[in-house]
Amino acid sequence: MAFQYRKVLLIGATSGIGEALAEKLVADGTFVIVVGRRKEKLDSFVNKHGEGKAAAVELDITKLDRIPPAVSTITSSHPDIDCIFLNSGIQRPFDFTRPETINLDDLEQELTTNYLSFVHLTRYLLPILQKQSRQTSIVYTSSQLGIVPMVRAPNYGASKAALHHFVLALREQMKDGPGNVNVVEIFPPAVQTELHDAKHQPDLKNGHQIGIPLQEFIDSTWTGLVKGDEQIAVGPAKDIFDAVEPTRQRIFRDLHAQLTKVLQDFLV
């Protein structure tokens, strides 16, 4: 089986998982529009692969007001996008035993990057997928810490839990919505990327060595993408997913059915 989408918009493509996924997609013959903050990295990607295989858009997704015009520019140039990856993410430690050390601006930036920006992007990007006559997909990079939190990074886990709940509800909505939009969620474990580097988490030494090798993660994720899986949990994250999510999602579906019945008499 092959990856079925031919033009991918990949947001958060200048490092780590996003950059490696972009490389994998181009190698597979998929045209990739890479999006991120670091223009030099974006330009390098396009120069490496050529304009026949890649394009780039500079965008800081934490500047929420810049998302609508950026999406308008992208979709006018590439109206045939059939798959979107939302992949950006940052992780910060917060120790509330010493509340005076908590930088609330950093906490807010983490929440905006990992969750709010994804919601804004979904709002403005879904219409292009819904217009397509064929199957399309929107793919979210979540985390095993969205299922079970880590004490060291409480806000990161909370932001990923918010994203996970959003994706579950969105997938259910899309079943009855216009278009043929498949909603996919990827659950990485810790992966060896710059997410844990000292510039992001200065109390860690050699943080980029934490987790499974990046290529191992990409290979496993790619297998799930090619199979068309809606939920792709990799490595140690699969153990957590299998222990928690079947029960959680059964309860979610049951509750959704119950509330749908209850609300029928109240909806206008």
Side-chain angles (χ1 to χ4, degrees):
M1 296 176 66
F3 188 66
Q4 63 176 304
Y5 305 106
R6 303 327 304 161
K7 182 171 280 191
V8 166
L9 176 67
L10 202 160
I11 296 174
T14 57
S15 67
I17 290 171
E19 183 178 22
L21 272 173
E23 291 285 354
K24 182 68 173 179
L25 287 160
V26 170
D28 187 63
T30 302
F31 188 93
V32 180
I33 306 149
V34 289
V35 180
R37 291 183 295 108
R38 289 175 276 191
K39 187 176 186 300
E40 70 282 1
K41 296 272 289 187
L42 300 171
D43 290 344
S44 175
F45 186 88
V46 175
N47 290 335
K48 176 181 177 180
H49 296 290
E51 294 182 355
K53 296 182 178 180
V57 176
E58 183 182 1
L59 174 64
D60 181 350
I61 62 170
T62 66
K63 311 297 185 186
L64 299 177
D65 61 333
R66 297 181 186 177
I67 290 175
V71 168
S72 179
T73 298
I74 292 167
T75 55
S76 63
S77 300
H78 302 279
D80 54 341
I81 291 170
D82 56 4
C83 183
I84 295 165
F85 282 81
L86 302 183
N87 177 73
S88 302
I90 55 174
Q91 185 182 102
R92 300 286 185 270
F94 292 102
D95 182 0
F96 279 87
T97 66
R98 297 183 297 142
E100 70 280 1
T101 69
I102 304 299
N103 185 320
L104 292 175
D105 289 337
D106 287 348
L107 187 145
E108 185 174 332
Q109 183 190 45
E110 185 177 50
L111 182 63
T112 299
T113 303
N114 295 351
Y115 177 63
L116 287 178
S117 67
F118 282 40
V119 177
H120 282 243
L121 287 161
T122 301
R123 154 65 178 88
Y124 289 102
L125 287 168
L126 268 180
I128 189 174
L129 298 181
Q130 291 173 317
K131 290 176 184 175
Q132 307 297 349
S133 59
R134 61 190 181 280
Q135 172 78 59
T136 61
S137 276
I138 184 164
V139 184
Y140 298 83
T141 300
S142 179
S143 171
Q144 66 179 8
L145 299 182
I147 302 173
V148 177
M150 178 172 66
V151 172
R152 169 186 168 80
N155 191 57
Y156 180 85
S159 68
K160 292 297 187 176
L163 179 62
H164 177 45
H165 284 207
F166 174 78
V167 170
L168 284 176
L170 177 67
R171 183 182 295 117
E172 200 66 29
Q173 289 185 0
M174 288 297 101
K175 291 177 182 179
D176 298 320
N180 190 9
V181 183
N182 194 35
V183 179
V184 179
E185 187 172 5
I186 300 170
F187 300 86
V191 180
Q192 293 172 9
T193 69
E194 69 175 37
L195 187 76
H196 308 111
D197 277 359
K199 66 179 179 180
H200 302 300
Q201 303 194 56
D203 60 329
L204 292 179
K205 180 180 179 180
N206 298 322
H208 61 280
Q209 297 177 6
I210 294 173
I212 67 172
L214 177 58
Q215 193 56 53
E216 178 183 334
F217 169 78
I218 293 298
D219 291 343
S220 294
T221 299
W222 187 255
T223 297
L225 291 169
V226 168
K227 285 169 57 183
D229 293 344
E230 289 185 337
Q231 300 181 96
I232 304 169
V234 175
K238 188 175 188 311
D239 295 334
I240 295 173
F241 183 95
D242 289 346
V244 174
E245 285 301 306
T247 299
R248 183 211 298 265
Q249 294 188 29
R250 176 183 55 77
I251 294 170
F252 162 69
R253 290 189 296 271
D254 290 347
L255 182 61
H256 171 61
Q258 293 169 20
L259 290 178
T260 299
K261 275 186 182 179
V262 169
L263 289 172
Q264 281 177 346
D265 294 334
F266 296 91
L267 295 173
V268 296

